[in-house]
Amino acid sequence: MKISQCIIYILLILSFHSCFTGIESTPKITYKNDTHEDISNISEEEKYLSLIKNKTFDQWKHGKEFIITDNKLSLVLSSNKTISPLAGSKIKYIGFESNPSVTGSTYTKILFADYKNDTLCYRINLSPKELLNHKNIDIPFTIQQSIINDVRKLLIGKQYYIITSTWYNLNGENIKGKKFIPVTITNIDAGNEKYPISVTFKDNNQNSYCVYMTIGNKIQSTRDFHKLFSFTNPQKKYPKITTETWNYIINGNIMIGMNKDECKLALGTPNFIERLPSNAGVIELWKYDNGYQLLFEDGVLKEYKQ
């Protein structure tokens, strides 16, 4: 190893024990997902719920139900009475009416009824004709009941392998769960504004938990079905991983001697990677947002801290 490489190597090792300070002169590589969008490579999990979509406005029927996902709905609805919609309750579509604006154009009031049968209005700056042609209308802080119904038909009672450790207990508290274990879906309900679907499941011990899911092809659809579940046992894709190592992975833990693929399975993709080529191989430092810092030598985990 050249003298200059030895010096940088020593600095890297020292930086591992001092929160990565003093290594600004070395090349920095931000890890990017190298998965390319190729329709021919779309997985079965990605396809599974892809046909479930919001009903377009021209398909709305009188009485169509919407579940409120956030109390902030009162900020976008108007009423002659004081309204205090509660997350989890429902409103029903009852029609629409056109109104002239002060500028001479026409806007539309989409009308809903709450559980008290009070009328609520959502104003949109399109004429009824434009609205029907526009079709895709989202009412903020709500999810269409039809979406919940469609997802229920496909998921409830089915067993999948969960591939995320971001679980919630039934009180809505975030907990660290296991990954790559079989779970059975027991209920589908409305979630929240960011993640509109709540998926409740039971693990092998018959304990109930939930995860939150998005659906559709919007930019904010970051936790669709394929990001949460797998149809097949992921362990079968890695026959060389020992049972001991796989148990670490399932619990989101790592140990000295694991390789980079095993660590990535356990902790996910790092947010930052710093690499240094050397005659002996490659030295890498991985950093995660949750505080984990991993040091690899020639692809093998030598040290880590959190």
Side-chain angles (χ1 to χ4, degrees):
M1 184 182 293
K2 296 180 181 179
I3 294 176
S4 60
Q5 288 181 324
C6 288
I7 294 172
I8 296 176
Y9 175 80
I10 293 170
L11 288 173
L12 281 172
I13 298 299
L14 291 174
S15 70
F16 180 81
H17 297 285
S18 59
C19 298
F20 295 87
T21 58
I23 54 172
E24 295 303 317
S25 61
T26 57
K28 294 182 179 178
I29 302 173
T30 301
Y31 192 94
K32 294 183 179 180
N33 189 342
D34 57 4
T35 301
H36 299 286
E37 292 295 331
D38 183 347
I39 192 168
S40 64
N41 291 327
I42 293 178
S43 69
E44 291 302 312
E45 288 85 352
E46 288 177 272
K47 298 175 186 176
Y48 193 46
L49 302 182
S50 62
L51 296 181
I52 296 179
K53 294 180 173 62
N54 281 329
K55 301 294 183 184
T56 56
F57 185 69
D58 59 331
Q59 296 175 315
W60 291 13
K61 304 296 183 183
H62 187 282
K64 178 177 175 59
E65 294 181 326
F66 294 75
I67 303 176
I68 300 171
T69 58
D70 196 300
N71 294 339
K72 294 177 183 177
L73 180 64
S74 60
L75 300 176
V76 298
L77 295 181
S78 61
S79 175
N80 293 329
K81 300 181 179 181
T82 301
I83 57 174
S84 54
L86 299 176
S89 61
K90 297 179 182 180
I91 56 176
K92 295 182 179 181
Y93 169 68
I94 57 175
F96 65 90
E97 60 182 38
S98 62
N99 293 267
S101 69
V102 293
T103 62
S105 60
T106 300
Y107 68 90
T108 302
K109 284 184 178 180
I110 303 177
L111 306 177
F112 299 92
D114 64 11
Y115 67 98
K116 297 178 181 177
N117 285 323
D118 292 332
T119 300
L120 312 174
C121 303
Y122 179 68
R123 173 173 169 164
I124 189 165
N125 292 321
L126 295 172
S127 69
K129 183 178 179 180
E130 292 171 327
L131 192 58
L132 289 167
N133 289 333
H134 192 273
K135 293 187 177 182
N136 293 320
I137 304 299
D138 288 325
I139 306 300
F141 311 116
T142 69
I143 181 172
Q144 295 185 15
Q145 178 68 57
S146 58
I147 291 285
I148 300 294
N149 295 342
D150 290 343
V151 174
R152 281 175 177 166
K153 291 175 184 176
L154 287 176
L155 298 191
I156 285 185
K158 303 290 183 62
Q159 186 180 85
Y160 306 106
Y161 287 85
I162 192 162
I163 58 176
T164 177
S165 60
T166 304
W167 296 12
Y168 294 82
N169 62 28
L170 298 188
N171 293 322
E173 299 166 332
N174 180 228
I175 63 171
K176 180 183 177 181
K178 295 184 177 183
K179 296 191 291 186
F180 312 129
I181 64 170
V183 298
T184 301
I185 310 301
T186 57
N187 191 37
I188 303 295
D189 215 330
N192 52 54
E193 178 62 16
K194 188 174 182 181
Y195 303 115
I197 306 289
S198 170
V199 182
T200 303
F201 61 88
K202 286 186 176 181
D203 63 9
N204 285 336
N205 296 320
Q206 297 302 300
N207 295 317
S208 293
Y209 304 94
C210 75
V211 292
Y212 291 103
M213 185 172 72
T214 54
I215 193 166
N217 54 7
K218 298 179 182 178
I219 295 175
Q220 62 268 36
S221 298
T222 55
R223 287 179 65 80
D224 286 354
F225 179 82
H226 68 282
K227 297 290 184 67
L228 303 176
F229 300 103
S230 170
F231 292 146
T232 57
N233 186 351
Q235 186 177 6
K236 293 182 177 180
K237 298 178 182 178
Y238 306 95
K240 294 183 179 180
I241 297 180
T242 66
T243 300
E244 179 189 10
T245 300
W246 193 255
N247 285 333
Y248 271 83
I249 291 170
I250 285 174
N251 288 284
N253 297 322
I254 55 176
M255 63 178 177
I256 302 301
M258 290 173 70
N259 62 37
K260 292 190 290 185
D261 286 339
E262 292 165 347
C263 290
K264 193 179 294 184
L265 284 169
L267 302 180
T269 301
N271 300 96
F272 178 86
I273 293 178
E274 185 145 2
R275 296 188 177 100
L276 173 66
S278 71
N279 292 338
V282 177
I283 304 161
E284 289 190 3
L285 294 173
W286 287 14
K287 293 180 71 174
Y288 289 83
D289 280 347
N290 63 4
Y292 265 112
Q293 301 175 18
L294 281 60
L295 173 65
F296 293 91
E297 290 184 26
D298 205 17
V300 177
L301 183 64
K302 294 298 183 181
E303 294 186 62
Y304 69 89
K305 63 180 180 179
Q306 186 177 20

